[in-house]
Amino acid sequence: MRQEGYPPGGGASPEERVIEWSGDHLADPTTLGPDLDGELGVDPAELPDEDLIREIHSLHRTRLDTLRHAADSALAHHLRRTAELETEYLARYPSREIDPSRLRDE
């Protein structure tokens, strides 16, 4: 099934289309659903390492289901929260261990 506005063959990459799910509509309180209060949760900088990792794991576990079946507002919320948590993780672990088997020849 092809969504209207997307050319056959996919056209734009997900990275190019992410603006469509930017969550800008969440900034307007009149568009928030009953379960969304405009907050994305606890500030990731305030989370202990164990809680930060648990939250990231939870988001990744629910990623496919959210992508495939959630409302646009929920997907936008998911994308924004994932970006917040992952950005905090990278700030804490800039020299994280890289698995050599995950490297590609350049």
Side-chain angles (χ1 to χ4, degrees):
M1 175 178 3
R2 171 67 38 205
Q3 292 281 338
E4 194 170 314
Y6 295 113
S13 72
E15 292 81 9
E16 293 168 323
R17 292 194 313 242
V18 76
I19 190 86
E20 298 171 21
W21 303 305
S22 67
D24 288 342
H25 59 287
L26 295 177
D28 179 358
T30 63
T31 63
L32 292 176
D35 295 327
L36 295 176
D37 60 3
E39 296 294 320
L40 290 179
V42 175
D43 181 353
E46 296 176 11
L47 292 171
D49 288 351
E50 183 178 303
D51 291 342
L52 178 66
I53 304 266
R54 188 189 69 243
E55 289 292 314
I56 292 171
H57 185 265
S58 175
L59 284 168
H60 283 262
R61 189 178 63 252
T62 61
R63 176 73 181 142
L64 183 59
D65 188 55
T66 303
L67 177 64
R68 293 187 64 208
H69 305 294
D72 287 345
S73 60
L75 178 59
H77 180 85
H78 192 278
L79 290 167
R80 289 172 54 207
R81 185 62 174 169
T82 300
E84 274 192 356
L85 293 167
E86 289 180 350
T87 298
E88 178 63 25
Y89 180 85
L90 292 172
R92 291 184 194 186
Y93 301 100
S95 300
R96 69 194 192 286
E97 184 178 331
I98 306 297
D99 181 348
S101 69
R102 301 292 307 240
L103 298 175
R104 296 181 182 179
D105 294 331
E106 292 184 29

